[in-house]
Amino acid sequence: MEPGGREEGSLTAPVRATPEQAENVFELWISAKDAFQLHESYSDPSNRRKNIDWLQEEAAAGRVWIVEEDNKITGLAIIHSDKPEIWYLVVRQGYRGLGIGASIVRHLQSDVADDQLNAESRTPEAKALFEKCGFRQTGESREGFPILTWTKSNV
C-alpha cells in the first residue's frame, strides 16, 4: 500500500489546475525552491500575492497541471507560455518515487501539440525521471544545467 491506502500503480490522472487552486499550487511549488535554485525573492512573504496571481493566470491559460492524492496536490507541472517546455515539475515530499512525476510527464507528452517537449533538469533525480520518459540531453542552460528534449520520433 502507498500513502492514502492506494494500491500500487493506481495513480490519479493529471488534470489542469483551476485559478482557484493557485494558492495550493503555490505552496507545493515554493516547497521546491531550493531544488529549482529560485531566487529568495520568490519565497519572500511580500511577493506571495504576486506569485499566486501569476499562478492564477497560468492556470487560467491551461498551463498548470496537477495530481491530487489524499485531498492535496501531490504533483504539479507548469508549462512555458511561449514554447513546448516543462518549466517546473514538482512532486510533494513523501510522494516521490510513486510514479506521480512520470505520470505528469507522460500526460504532457501525449498532450503536446508540437513534435517535441523540452525540460531543464536542476537535479539528478529530475534528469533520471526525464530520461526514463524518453528525453535525451541536447545541451546545457546558461547556468550549466542539462537541457533535455523529447520528440515524438524518439517513441
Side-chain angles (χ1 to χ4, degrees), residues 105-106 109 117 127-137 148-155:
V105 171
R106 288 186 179 115
Q109 288 169 319
L117 188 60
K127 185 173 188 272
L129 169 68
F130 287 123
E131 288 174 339
K132 175 182 164 184
C133 292
F135 285 71
R136 301 290 174 254
Q137 185 167 344
L148 296 108
T149 301
W150 169 84
T151 61
K152 288 185 180 178
S153 62
N154 285 354
V155 180

Side-chain angles (χ1 to χ4, degrees), residues 48-68:
R48 179 183 174 83
R49 183 75 255 156
K50 181 174 86 172
N51 287 319
I52 291 172
D53 289 347
W54 171 72
L55 287 166
Q56 285 176 322
E57 291 171 13
E58 294 299 303
R63 293 188 290 264
V64 180
W65 290 86
I66 60 170
V67 170
E68 292 182 288

Side-chain angles (χ1 to χ4, degrees), residues 11 15 18-19 24 29 33 36 41 45 51 65 76 82 87 95 99 110 114 118 122 125 148:
L11 292 175
V15 296
T18 65
N24 292 330
W29 176 70
K33 71 179 176 63
F36 291 137
S41 65
N51 287 319
W65 290 86
L76 72 89
D82 298 329
W87 238 354
Y95 288 82
S110 70
D114 294 344
N118 299 307
R122 296 205 169 203
E125 297 83 4
L148 296 108

Side-chain angles (χ1 to χ4, degrees), residues 1-8 10-12 69-70 95 98 100:
M1 285 280 188
E2 297 175 4
R6 275 184 295 112
E7 292 297 322
E8 187 173 343
S10 63
L11 292 175
T12 304
E69 302 287 343
D70 304 327
Y95 288 82
L98 303 177
I100 293 170

